[in-house]
Amino acid sequence: MLKSWLMILLLSTGSVMAAGKGKYCTLEGEIKMLKAPAEVMVIQRTGEFESDSITAAAVNVNGHFKVKIPAQYNGFVLEIRVKGTHDFCNFIAEPGTVHIAGLSGKFYLATVEGSTENKRWNEYQMFQQKLSKQQNSIFQKTGLSDEERTQLFEDLNTSQKHFTDSFIVANRSSVVALYMARVPLPMMKHYQIDTVLQQFDKKLHGHPYYKEMKARADVLRRVAPGAVAPDFKVVTQDGKTPIQLSSFRGKYVLLDFWASWCVPCREENKHTLAIYKKFHPKGLEIISFSLDHELPAWQKAIEKDGILWNNASDLTGGKRSKVAQEYGIDGLPAIWLIGPDGKIIAESIRGEELEKMLESIFRK
């Protein structure tokens, strides 16, 4: 959902690190055991499954390549990929020369050399590789109880957080540190993002990675408990009849974002049905907002899941939905409990926790 403004910032003349202004990045290297003829592409990820192609170059018979990357990409994490294969490697575009050396089939383990930022990138990648080996080792261990295995994974998560936190503190003006801070963004609350961003040097405040995180925090702040839930006016499952959130003022509303293609959502509908039957007679309204873009699929899922309550959708699909953007939807299902005054009482609440809260509300 942040793609459009992120790309505008990326292409603007003054958006990227001043040190790299006007000087392109030369990316060169070698990929051993790569069968000729071959071609490498340099791309930039713009979404979970989206990317933009920047440039490409042929790889000679010895596996060597060389490509120039425009200066506006300096200060960004880019990806070099061998066309038609699964070989890829990430690096930081920097003014001057960046060298990559790796082996076909394991190019993701390639060594990246350049100036300071790529040295930091190598440090980060080496830690990630070590962590991955440890995770695989836990998966392969036999004789562990579920509790023991869970504890080992929690220990690794703690280790990763400690590494990230220490890295940021030691490199407050580093794009690599900013990129690392951005990785868990979909799972962070607005106050967590605020705390992380406060650690970075002012020189990075204009970087799109920083602005993306700040924009995410601002969105989440607007849909946090205590805030008035953003209003919307869309259609019900007939594709024509309007439904508006603000028309439910005076009632408690459970706003549930889902989609027909979301398996966990379809399972959650069973629990939502039980919640509806128990609390609707006491005054609870439920609005299931679908992120489908095809009316028939939405209608079929409603019928199959026996959804008896209010349905809403703008039928634009996924993160393209303006309503989904206003609520910062980055995963489904997503649930908000809204009070009679239109203010949000709770978010990301379900199961036993939700039932206890509703019991408390309707016991009054």
Side-chain angles (χ1 to χ4, degrees), residues 108-122:
Y108 61 95
L109 298 174
T111 299
V112 182
E113 297 177 337
S115 58
T116 306
E117 286 289 31
N118 275 297
K119 289 179 182 178
R120 290 170 177 152
W121 182 255
N122 257 336

Side-chain angles (χ1 to χ4, degrees), residues 29-305:
E30 58 182 347
I31 309 173
K32 295 180 180 179
M33 306 298 291
L34 182 63
K35 295 180 180 179
E39 182 182 29
V40 291
M41 306 176 294
V42 177
I43 65 174
Q44 182 185 43
R45 293 289 174 186
T46 55
E48 188 176 0
F49 303 107
E50 299 172 313
S51 63
D52 285 340
S53 178
I54 297 173
T55 187
V59 181
N60 68 25
V61 292
N62 296 316
H64 292 267
F65 62 87
K66 186 174 183 179
V67 61
K68 291 182 179 179
I69 301 170
Q72 68 257 33
Y73 293 96
N74 287 339
F76 288 86
V77 177
L78 303 181
E79 179 180 305
I80 179 170
R81 181 174 291 276
V82 180
K83 190 174 182 179
T85 75
H86 295 294
D87 279 332
F88 76 96
C89 180
N90 294 108
F91 66 97
I92 305 290
E94 297 184 280
T97 301
V98 176
H99 187 271
I100 297 179
L103 179 68
S104 181
K106 293 186 176 181
F107 193 44
Y108 61 95
L109 298 174
T111 299
V112 182
E113 297 177 337
S115 58
T116 306
E117 286 289 31
N118 275 297
K119 289 179 182 178
R120 290 170 177 152
W121 182 255
N122 257 336
E123 182 183 350
Y124 170 51
Q125 291 302 299
M126 288 175 66
F127 176 81
Q128 289 297 107
Q129 291 164 21
K130 178 182 177 181
L131 195 70
S132 180
K133 288 180 181 179
Q134 291 173 326
Q135 289 172 337
N136 290 336
S137 176
I138 294 172
F139 277 121
Q140 293 168 7
K141 279 186 178 180
T142 58
L144 292 176
S145 66
D146 290 342
E147 292 77 12
E148 290 172 326
R149 200 178 300 275
T150 298
Q151 185 59 55
L152 287 172
F153 280 119
E154 288 180 355
D155 291 343
L156 287 186
N157 289 336
T158 300
S159 175
Q160 183 173 35
K161 187 178 186 308
H162 177 72
F163 176 84
T164 301
D165 291 345
S166 300
F167 195 99
I168 292 172
V169 169
N171 301 279
R172 296 180 186 274
S173 61
S174 167
V175 171
V176 176
L178 184 59
Y179 179 87
M180 290 168 60
R182 174 175 165 263
V183 170
L185 186 59
M187 298 174 285
M188 297 171 74
K189 302 293 185 181
H190 66 89
Y191 52 86
Q192 294 173 318
I193 300 172
D194 291 339
T195 300
V196 169
L197 290 180
Q198 288 173 4
Q199 300 182 69
F200 286 99
D201 192 285
K202 288 184 179 180
K203 67 180 289 186
L204 287 176
H205 290 192
H207 195 291
Y209 292 165
Y210 186 98
K211 290 189 174 183
E212 178 186 359
M213 293 182 70
K214 186 177 184 303
R216 174 71 177 167
D218 291 342
V219 168
L220 296 180
R221 208 180 329 275
R222 292 194 292 269
V223 290
V228 175
D231 195 17
F232 56 77
K233 186 176 182 180
V234 289
V235 295
T236 60
Q237 66 264 38
D238 64 5
K240 298 177 182 178
T241 306
I243 181 171
Q244 189 166 2
L245 177 61
S246 58
S247 68
F248 289 82
R249 289 287 172 86
K251 299 181 179 180
Y252 285 95
V253 176
L254 188 68
L255 178 59
D256 171 31
F257 287 87
W258 72 298
S260 66
W261 41 261
C262 171
V263 176
C265 301
R266 303 296 294 274
E267 285 297 313
E268 190 68 27
N269 280 341
K270 299 174 183 177
H271 303 297
T272 307
L273 179 59
I275 290 289
Y276 180 78
K277 289 181 176 179
K278 184 174 183 178
F279 294 101
H280 178 63
K282 299 179 180 182
L284 177 69
E285 294 289 346
I286 299 179
I287 302 176
S288 281
F289 193 108
S290 171
L291 297 188
D292 280 273
H293 69 279
E294 294 181 351
L295 182 60
W298 178 31
Q299 292 172 330
K300 185 177 179 181
I302 290 172
E303 182 179 358
K304 186 172 182 179
D305 291 2

